[in-house]
Amino acid sequence: LALLDSGKTVILDLGNANKEVLEYFSDELSRAVFRRQVDKFTNNRLGDHFIQLYFEEAHNLFPRNEDDTTIYSRFAKEGAKYHIGMVYSTQSPTTINKDLLAQTENFFVAHLSSRDEVNALARLNTAFQGMEDDILRAKTVGYVRMLTRSHRFVIPVQARKFSPLMRAAMKGE
């Protein structure tokens, strides 16, 4: 928490952890971050400091159930007030808590190979209706369909793979 408070990036890679370890540490650390930000809010100390959390394979942490009291649901519903943002990735939107999905503002759809998953995405957000077959057919690496809060229609984007040489060229080095 001290590192986050000082503006540092903290990476906790639980990708290879067993399910119990993953759930325990993710939950405990998420709750600690939430409590810290609520305390700052209550004492008018948030300032310009924002916390951004990233969760990969979110279906392991945000299971589809009716429990809307999880820390992740609180992030989705209340996080902005406390300067907490959340990014999550999954290839299985049907397995994510529906309350969390309903609170999601930005979608970046890179690859879905299941008709059920694509249809669920289209039901969740009408902007994806009519694109189901296109999403299933597209296999180009880095091709993303982007839907953001500021653009209420889906935008096709071709993301390029990061290269340190490309970065240097962009900086003029």
Side-chain angles (χ1 to χ4, degrees), residues 70-160:
T70 67
I71 189 61
Y72 312 109
S73 290
R74 291 198 70 189
F75 283 151
K77 291 179 178 179
E78 307 170 49
K81 175 170 62 175
Y82 302 119
H83 292 188
I84 301 170
M86 180 171 64
V87 174
Y88 63 93
S89 67
T90 185
Q91 292 179 6
S92 305
T94 59
T95 62
I96 298 289
N97 180 294
K98 67 178 180 157
D99 202 39
L100 205 79
L101 283 170
Q103 296 292 325
T104 300
E105 291 183 353
N106 303 308
F107 289 84
F108 298 86
V109 179
H111 177 70
L112 290 175
S113 59
S114 162
R115 173 133 333 251
D116 289 342
E117 298 297 337
V118 174
N119 289 342
L121 177 65
R123 281 191 307 275
L124 172 70
N125 195 305
T126 58
F128 288 101
Q129 288 179 354
M131 302 185 74
E132 296 91 341
D133 288 337
D134 181 54
I135 291 171
L136 288 168
R137 276 192 306 267
K139 304 293 183 209
T140 305
V141 175
Y143 182 65
V144 177
R145 287 153 204 85
M146 182 174 73
L147 178 67
T148 65
R149 183 175 174 212
S150 59
H151 293 95
R152 295 315 311 164
F153 51 91
V154 177
I155 301 169
V157 176
Q158 178 64 53
R160 290 186 283 182

Side-chain angles (χ1 to χ4, degrees), residues 9 18 27 29 69 88 110 138 172:
T9 298
N18 70 42
D27 188 70
L29 293 168
T69 62
Y88 63 93

Side-chain angles (χ1 to χ4, degrees), residues 18-102:
N18 70 42
K19 184 173 174 38
E20 291 79 22
V21 170
L22 169 72
E23 289 174 357
Y24 176 80
F25 281 107
S26 181
D27 188 70
E28 286 296 312
L29 293 168
S30 294
R31 288 181 186 281
V33 167
F34 193 84
R35 282 191 303 268
R36 175 69 64 104
Q37 292 300 102
V38 169
D39 179 63
K40 288 180 187 177
F41 176 83
T42 304
N43 293 299
N44 198 26
R45 292 185 292 118
L46 276 176
D48 290 343
H49 190 258
F50 293 81
I51 302 285
Q52 190 68 38
L53 301 168
Y54 293 82
F55 298 95
E56 287 190 8
E57 304 298 337
H59 49 273
N60 292 325
L61 294 170
F62 314 153
R64 185 171 187 91
N65 58 34
E66 300 305 316
D67 184 6
D68 63 355
T69 62
T70 67
I71 189 61
Y72 312 109
S73 290
R74 291 198 70 189
F75 283 151
K77 291 179 178 179
E78 307 170 49
K81 175 170 62 175
Y82 302 119
H83 292 188
I84 301 170
M86 180 171 64
V87 174
Y88 63 93
S89 67
T90 185
Q91 292 179 6
S92 305
T94 59
T95 62
I96 298 289
N97 180 294
K98 67 178 180 157
D99 202 39
L100 205 79
L101 283 170

